[in-house]
Amino acid sequence: MDVIETNPEREYIRRHHKHELVENQCSSTLVKLIKAPVHIVWSLVRRFDQPQKYKPFISRCVVKGNMEIGTVREVDVKSGLPATRSTERLELLDDNEHILSIRIVGGDHRLKNYSSIISLHPETIEGRVGTLVIESFVVDVPEGNTKDETCYFVEALIKCNLKSLADISERLAVQDRTESMDRV
């Protein structure tokens, strides 16, 4: 009997990261392994009202609504980026499947029709409980830029966010393990 090996990562992307691309858009999917349990990573990701907890380019966030689908947040961007603010709408927040989706609906930047999905999945990393994070996006290619340039720019931002998410989550996981040992 043949054994068919499945790639869980590919299946997660197929199930949770569907983007409808139209002409003059680019899309990409990034993956990050984090040495922390899903519940710790999710406690940061799910905070639509506090993205600055792990996104280093955000200085402030004001939410209009009560964390339901359609809730809008106004985000202030730190200096050094070609923007000062962004208006983003919550498209999906699934605490069971650990999926968050947002759409940018305004702001003084060139990320038009930007939509992203981030999903978290349990993973064993070096014999310990960890998290596989998958983030995908689609965005219009601004006039004067190529698809490659646009994807490269957005991927660089997401990679910084995911590195920060990993650093903070892993620090919290170590604290969690240390506190658990102290209680024993």
Side-chain angles (χ1 to χ4, degrees):
M1 183 165 124
D2 291 333
V3 176
I4 300 171
E5 185 177 328
T6 61
N7 181 337
E9 185 179 306
R10 189 174 300 135
E11 180 61 19
Y12 296 143
I13 292 168
R14 189 189 66 72
R15 283 182 37 215
H16 303 299
H17 295 266
K18 295 176 185 156
H19 295 282
E20 298 292 325
L21 257 72
V22 296
E23 194 176 332
N24 206 37
Q25 286 189 318
C26 70
S27 180
S28 186
T29 302
L30 292 92
V31 174
K32 179 79 174 168
L33 289 173
I34 298 180
K35 296 175 185 175
V38 168
H39 75 274
I40 289 176
V41 182
W42 183 243
S43 73
L44 296 165
V45 170
R46 76 170 310 283
R47 295 302 305 262
F48 179 75
D49 59 334
Q50 294 183 356
Q52 68 273 25
K53 288 225 180 234
Y54 77 92
K55 292 185 175 186
F57 301 113
I58 295 178
S59 60
R60 190 174 80 100
C61 175
V62 177
V63 172
K64 298 172 181 165
N66 53 355
M67 297 296 291
E68 298 172 341
I69 303 305
T71 296
V72 172
R73 69 184 179 193
E74 295 285 337
V75 172
D76 292 341
V77 178
K78 290 184 179 175
S79 63
L81 289 177
T84 59
R85 63 182 168 71
S86 183
T87 305
E88 303 169 354
R89 183 176 63 226
L90 181 62
E91 298 287 302
L92 176 65
L93 178 63
D94 186 329
D95 284 317
N96 295 323
E97 295 282 333
H98 304 109
I99 304 168
L100 173 79
S101 177
I102 66 137
R103 176 175 301 278
I104 293 179
V105 294
D108 63 348
H109 50 72
R110 299 179 73 200
L111 297 178
K112 304 300 180 212
N113 292 312
Y114 178 91
S115 176
S116 75
I117 300 168
I118 186 167
S119 64
L120 311 184
H121 311 276
E123 183 75 33
T124 302
I125 304 167
E126 298 170 4
R128 289 190 177 223
V129 175
T131 302
L132 171 69
V133 180
I134 303 171
E135 185 162 356
S136 62
F137 70 89
V138 63
V139 66
D140 289 358
V141 176
E143 193 173 314
N145 289 92
T146 66
K147 285 185 178 188
D148 285 346
E149 291 167 337
T150 304
C151 270
Y152 181 80
F153 173 75
V154 176
E155 287 172 353
L157 289 176
I158 291 173
K159 285 176 185 176
C160 285
N161 289 340
L162 292 176
K163 181 180 183 330
S164 175
L165 178 62
D167 292 345
I168 294 166
S169 298
E170 290 170 2
R171 197 167 36 248
L172 290 171
V174 167
Q175 276 179 342
D176 197 46
R177 283 195 297 272
T178 303
E179 288 171 8
S180 294
M181 284 187 254
D182 290 345
R183 286 189 292 255
V184 175

